[in-house]
Amino acid sequence: MWSVPLRKSHIPTFIFTDTSSTCPVVLVSNRNCLVHRRNLHQSKPFKQSKLIMSQQIKTLIDRPKSMSYDAVLDFLLQKNQQFQRGMETGAIIENETLPEYRQSLAQGGQKPVATIVTCCDSRVIPEVIFQQGFGKLFTVRTAGSLVSSPTVLGSIQFGVENFATPLLMVMGHTECGAAITGWNLCCHEKDRIEQLSPALRSLIDPMAPLVESIQSQYQNISTSEASKHLAEAIAKDAVKTILRELPSLRNLQATHKLGIVSALYDLHEGNVIVLEKSWQ
């Protein structure tokens, strides 16, 4: 087997060795938990590969099969802590890049453990934040994590009911572009709101009463701090909207078959903060 000197770090390295020739490939997972292939030397295409993985990594990537909503939340927060510490232990470094895994996933269907509603910001990726892979999270992403659209509400209901996910999380985040824009428009540029397209107005209008509430509580705060408070308020308000507009999910929550939480992801620290739980 070829040996390749790598810089000492917490990044696990997996060596694939061709069974018919000396043709190693190194798979290195980066900080975003993505997997890259680097061909070191290949005289001819390899036919079959053997994965060499430490028992420690195998243990870390184990996932629950059936859990209650509070246990699922604890599990995801534990995985988030591993992500925050830079531990590359997510499911994406497992066998999920292999064709066999994709085929089994396509044939066997998806069994997500949670429905996650979050912002479509490119820096907020639930599968990475919670160290999960294909088929583990049903995600609904909108600008600012807003759920005022019937299509968004329908997507949330579909995820919870069709896949029986025990946990529903609405997660905002710091430095949210939609929240910053909404704050600036509602506070300093109200005349511009009338000039927005109906589609953009549908994003800003639901923020207006939340902005007014924040203004009454805080004075002389920075835009960054204000947008953080707004992102928190949007997540909490989204949970209220879901329970008001989706009676079936309200019934699931009342009968303790569904747990709903609002949360905030900190872009700087990488951690997820739980704001409110429906079972408290």
Side-chain angles (χ1 to χ4, degrees), residues 65-79:
K65 295 181 180 179
S66 177
M67 301 177 71
S68 60
Y69 48 75
D70 53 343
V72 170
L73 177 61
D74 290 341
F75 169 75
L76 292 179
L77 292 178
Q78 179 185 11
K79 291 297 183 181

Side-chain angles (χ1 to χ4, degrees), residues 19 31-32 75 78 100 126 182 192-193 255:
T19 58
R31 188 169 181 80
N32 290 328
F75 169 75
Q78 179 185 11
E100 293 80 4
R192 286 189 56 199
I193 297 178
T255 55

Side-chain angles (χ1 to χ4, degrees), residues 57-179:
I57 297 301
K58 287 183 179 180
T59 302
L60 287 171
I61 61 179
D62 285 341
R63 293 181 297 274
K65 295 181 180 179
S66 177
M67 301 177 71
S68 60
Y69 48 75
D70 53 343
V72 170
L73 177 61
D74 290 341
F75 169 75
L76 292 179
L77 292 178
Q78 179 185 11
K79 291 297 183 181
N80 173 247
Q81 290 176 0
Q82 294 176 357
F83 163 75
Q84 187 183 14
R85 294 196 300 267
M87 296 175 62
E88 309 298 331
T89 60
I92 298 178
I93 66 172
E94 203 179 356
N95 291 350
E96 301 191 3
T97 57
L98 299 178
E100 293 80 4
Y101 182 86
R102 294 196 299 271
Q103 292 171 8
S104 64
L105 194 64
Q107 296 173 0
Q110 56 180 309
K111 298 179 181 179
V113 297
T115 297
I116 309 289
V117 182
T118 192
C119 185
C120 51
D121 192 302
S122 60
R123 301 166 294 178
V124 182
I125 307 176
E127 292 80 5
V128 175
I129 294 170
F130 294 113
Q131 295 281 272
Q132 298 301 294
F134 299 119
K136 303 307 174 186
L137 298 176
F138 186 88
T139 57
V140 180
R141 304 182 63 173
T142 69
S145 306
L146 292 163
V147 299
S148 52
S149 163
T151 302
V152 174
L153 289 170
S155 298
I156 296 170
Q157 183 176 0
F158 176 79
V160 172
E161 294 183 354
N162 193 58
F163 301 111
T165 57
L167 180 70
L168 169 61
M169 176 186 289
V170 181
M171 184 175 69
H173 68 95
T174 60
E175 310 299 339
C176 176

